[in-house]
Amino acid sequence: DIQMTQSPSSLSASVGDRVTITCRTSQSISNYLNWYQQKLGKAPKLLIYAASSLQNGVPSRFSGSGSGAEFTLTISSLQPEDCATYYCQQSYSSPFNFGQGTKLEIK
Amino acid sequence: QVQLQESGPGLVKPSETLSLTCTVSGGSMSRYYWSWIRQPPGKELEWIAYIYYSGSTNYNPSLRSRVIISVDTSKNQFSLKMTSVTAADTAVYYCARGEAVAGAPFDYWGQGTLVTVSS
């Protein structure tokens, strides 16, 4: 199985801040890395697929980068509605594991 | 707009079988993989299994011995059965869609249904 390690596990930032979340995998997965946003009590929502492709309808302040075994999700200018937990997920090989999540709070 | 909706009992007794159905509307089941994913309260997401519209399957090895996934394309539904449940199987269960290409993400999700395992 491919192990996923997200950091940090939680962070607090102010509106307008640039926020970066990192995801590391236990082996190279090319660019088969996806990012999801989950708001409290809701289903996850796809933000970024194939490491850097923005899903339709997702604001352009979200971006993804990386390849191999290290990836980042960046929010360029944090907005109040970005308060959520963010998960990375590898779609390289079964089982399609998720990271443990990063809880993002607004100061 | 594709929509997925989970249905099934919200309470299951220990050692019994959990059964859930996901109904797909607004689109065809063809050319997609259909997955079950769960999330215990306060914990991370865990992929359980997927089924292709043709019936081929793939299971998480950690759950393979207790899980069966099936599809009924005539009803636009797919289902999950999990046997011998324990309290550790208490979770919100989601159904989700993935395009049948290498590396596809889960692009559409159901709203989730909470299943509690308790006597």
Side-chain angles (χ1 to χ4, degrees), chain B residues 53-70:
Chain B
Y53 78 98
S54 63
S56 62
T57 57
N58 190 344
Y59 293 93
N60 190 323
S62 67
L63 296 167
R64 187 196 309 271
S65 64
R66 298 194 294 126
V67 169
I68 296 175
I69 190 171
S70 59

Side-chain angles (χ1 to χ4, degrees), chain A residues 17-29:
Chain A
D17 282 354
R18 182 182 182 88
V19 170
T20 298
I21 298 168
T22 298
C23 180
R24 293 184 174 86
T25 56
S26 58
Q27 67 181 73
S28 175
I29 60 169

Side-chain angles (χ1 to χ4, degrees), chain B residues 4-21:
Chain B
L4 289 76
Q5 178 67 58
E6 305 88 352
S7 59
L11 181 64
V12 181
K13 290 182 167 56
S15 79
E16 296 191 344
T17 296
L18 177 162
S19 296
L20 296 174
T21 295

Side-chain angles (χ1 to χ4, degrees), chain A residues 35-36 43-47 49 55-57 89 98, chain B residues 1-6 22-28 32-37 47 78 94-99 104-112:
Chain A
W35 290 97
Y36 301 85
K45 171 188 172 184
L46 178 65
L47 297 177
Y49 63 95
Q55 177 69 348
N56 288 343
Q89 177 249 331
F98 291 81
Chain B
Q1 176 79 349
V2 174
Q3 292 187 316
L4 289 76
Q5 178 67 58
E6 305 88 352
C22 181
T23 302
V24 180
S25 59
S28 170
Y32 293 98
Y33 289 107
W34 302 93
S35 282
W36 288 98
I37 296 160
W47 173 77
F78 64 106
Y94 296 99
C95 55
R97 187 189 85 164
E99 194 176 357
F106 304 114
D107 59 354
Y108 284 93
W109 295 63
Q111 65 185 22

